[in-house]
């Protein structure tokens, strides 16, 4: 019971930090300039880890590798709680790799859901163009294949289904079933 409570608290903090680091990586990778409120939140939450990592891992190929590695380190730290449950180190490392990939897929799904909500509730919301820009690299190839149906863009739905399939395949790859 105590391990479950500790895991819950650690995971809540880790998801916030890891999500900010993954968002920071993605914004820089696709060259999207965030609104000042998002930038301030993301950078203040993650600078304590990214700045020291940049001394060790510089940005190469136009990517902010320090943010991505920082996100993995956060996942690894959160997954290390499994040591308290008696898991061996290789199993913890494997679980951290799986969780890291899951966080990336869930992050993309969250962005797609946020875009869908904006399109229904307030397409002219200040953050709507930013979220659309974050999703565009995912949706562009799907939009080439999936046509509009009665002026309805189904690419968001198709992308979420494809991400869910990726999650299922990831589970099979890591667990074997």
């Amino acid at each position: 019971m105590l391990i479950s409570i500790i895991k819950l608290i650690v995971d809540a903090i880790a998801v916030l930090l890891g999500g900010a680091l993954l968002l920071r990586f993605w914004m820089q990778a696709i060259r999207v300039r965030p609104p000042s409120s998002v930038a301030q939140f993301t950078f203040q939450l993650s600078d304590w880890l990214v700045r020291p990592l940049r001394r060790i891992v510089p940005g190469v190929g136009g990517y902010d590798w320090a943010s991505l590695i920082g996100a993995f380190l956060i996942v690894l730290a959160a997954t290390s709680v499994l040591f308290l449950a008696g898991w061996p180190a290789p199993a913890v490392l494997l679980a951290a790799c799986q969780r890291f990939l899951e966080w990336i897929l869930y992050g993309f799904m969250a962005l797609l859901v946020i875009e869908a909500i904006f399109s229904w509730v307030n397409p002219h919301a200040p953050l709507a163009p930013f979220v659309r820009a974050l999703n565009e690299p995912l949706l562009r190839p799907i939009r080439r294949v999936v046509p509009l149906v009665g002026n309805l863009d189904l690419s968001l739905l198709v992308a979420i289904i494809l991400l869910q399939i990726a999650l299922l395949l990831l589970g099979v790859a890591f667990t074997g079933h």
Side-chain angles (χ1 to χ4, degrees):
M1 172 79 157
L2 182 60
I3 291 175
S4 296
I5 293 170
I6 292 170
K7 189 174 180 327
L8 175 70
I9 293 168
V10 168
D11 281 349
I13 295 167
V15 165
L16 183 64
L17 291 173
L21 287 159
L22 289 171
L23 178 62
R24 183 175 179 153
F25 174 81
W26 187 241
M27 288 186 304
Q28 200 260 341
I30 62 171
R31 309 279 190 266
V32 170
R33 185 178 176 93
S36 62
S37 59
V38 173
Q40 185 177 12
F41 173 80
T42 305
F43 295 130
Q44 283 185 354
L45 196 60
S46 59
D47 267 352
W48 65 273
L49 182 58
V50 172
R51 286 182 184 225
L53 281 174
R54 280 203 180 129
R55 291 185 208 127
I56 302 166
V57 183
V60 177
Y63 295 103
D64 183 12
W65 296 110
S67 293
L68 191 64
I69 291 169
F72 179 74
L73 291 174
I74 294 295
V75 172
L76 183 60
T79 308
S80 295
V81 171
L82 296 174
F83 280 128
L84 298 174
W87 285 42
V92 170
L93 184 59
L94 193 61
C97 289
Q98 180 180 4
R99 286 182 76 193
F100 180 64
L101 295 173
E102 287 173 350
W103 282 17
I104 291 170
L105 295 174
Y106 281 124
F108 283 137
M109 281 193 260
L111 286 171
L112 292 167
V113 168
I114 291 168
E115 183 171 345
I117 291 170
F118 277 142
S119 72
W120 297 331
V121 177
N122 185 2
H124 305 292
L127 287 178
F130 170 66
V131 174
R132 271 194 297 277
L134 290 173
N135 286 331
E136 187 57 29
L138 287 159
L139 297 175
R140 188 179 316 117
I142 296 170
R143 286 182 176 139
R144 289 185 193 134
V145 178
V146 178
L148 291 175
V149 178
N151 275 343
L152 187 63
D153 183 8
L154 297 177
S155 61
L156 285 166
L157 179 62
V158 171
I160 289 173
I161 290 170
L162 291 173
L163 288 168
Q164 288 176 333
I165 291 169
L167 274 171
L168 291 172
L169 294 173
L170 183 66
V172 169
F174 276 90
T175 62
H177 15 36

